[in-house]
């Protein structure tokens, strides 16, 4: 778990099998389905038992959710909940940066924003605006012409057909 991760869990409750309601110190209440994660790892499959699943509780200092000896870090739970809700998670930004070998400085330069914003987005201190995520995807899409931003958008696949009707 990233020790700089900002939101802290304040409570967690099992809603139904594999779904949790998480409360955060940001005031957010996020529901998250963890079935995929539980089925992915053999050590976690006992938690699929509904009686055991219902015994979910907070880990120390709100840094995780736990069942007996198994846990999920708060940063992962937060990312899963955000993504399931259709938001952009800090993990999506971190993966974009790793995929493109970017540091906070180079990511900020690529997006034309302050480095401290990148750092805040990476630890979930601030929500990532959809416009920033779209800029990330656009930056990645233009590939080798990144050093000289194009004045027009390149035509990709089906987008060439837009004006033909």
């Amino acid at each position: 778990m990233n020790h700089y991760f900002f939101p802290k869990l304040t409570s967690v409750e099992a809603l139904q099998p594999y779904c949790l309601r998480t409360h955060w110190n940001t005031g957010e209440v996020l529901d998250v389905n963890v079935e995929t994660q539980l089925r992915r790892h053999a050590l976690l499959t006992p938690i699929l038992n509904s009686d055991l699943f219902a015994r979910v509780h907070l880990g120390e200092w709100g840094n995780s959710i736990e069942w007996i000896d198994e846990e999920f870090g708060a940063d992962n739970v937060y990312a899963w909940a955000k993504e399931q809700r259709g938001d952009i998670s800090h993990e999506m930004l971190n993966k974009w940066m790793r995929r493109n070998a970017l540091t906070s400085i180079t990511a900020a330069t690529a997006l034309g924003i302050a480095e401290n914003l990148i750092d805040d987005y990476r630890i979930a201190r601030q929500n990532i605006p959809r416009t920033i995520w779209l800029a990330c995807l656009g930056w990645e899409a233009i590939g080798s012409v990144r050093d000289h931003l194009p004045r027009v958008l390149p035509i990709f696949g089906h987008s060439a057909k837009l004006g033909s009707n």
Side-chain angles (χ1 to χ4, degrees):
M1 168 152 162
N2 181 341
H3 295 289
Y4 298 105
F5 178 69
F6 171 67
K8 297 289 183 214
L9 280 159
T10 57
S11 69
V12 62
E13 61 184 299
L15 296 178
Q16 58 189 0
Y18 322 128
C19 290
L20 301 169
R21 175 154 294 148
T22 59
H23 298 255
W24 300 86
N25 67 347
T26 59
E28 294 171 288
V29 177
L30 302 171
D31 294 345
V32 59
N33 184 312
V34 294
E35 181 177 8
T36 301
Q37 289 76 20
L38 293 174
R39 292 190 185 282
R40 188 175 293 149
H41 304 286
L43 287 174
L44 301 175
T45 56
I47 300 169
L48 293 169
N49 173 288
S50 59
D51 291 333
L52 182 55
F53 186 82
R55 290 191 239 157
V56 67
H57 58 275
L58 282 183
E60 249 184 308
W61 301 296
N63 289 328
S64 63
I65 58 172
E66 298 179 343
W67 297 268
I68 308 173
D69 292 332
E70 303 302 332
E71 67 181 325
F72 288 139
D75 55 339
N76 292 324
V77 175
Y78 191 76
W80 300 331
K82 295 289 254 186
E83 291 170 20
Q84 288 174 18
R85 190 170 78 173
D87 293 338
I88 294 90
S89 75
H90 64 287
E91 281 300 316
M92 291 168 67
L93 181 68
N94 286 326
K95 286 177 186 172
W96 174 78
M97 290 175 64
R98 281 192 302 275
R99 195 169 55 242
N100 292 286
L102 298 171
T103 65
S104 291
I105 294 170
T106 56
T109 301
L111 298 173
I113 62 175
E115 181 186 352
N116 66 321
L117 272 177
I118 292 289
D119 293 337
D120 284 350
Y121 295 154
R122 291 183 71 196
I123 62 169
R125 185 172 304 279
Q126 287 193 43
N127 289 323
I128 301 168
R130 188 168 297 278
T131 54
I132 293 296
W133 182 242
L134 290 171
C136 293
L137 297 177
W139 183 88
E140 191 167 35
I142 61 173
S144 63
V145 297
R146 290 184 198 132
D147 291 339
H148 307 293
L149 290 177
R151 299 215 180 267
V152 295
L153 290 175
I155 297 175
F156 294 102
H158 71 279
S159 60
K161 298 176 186 175
L162 290 176
S164 62
N165 288 342

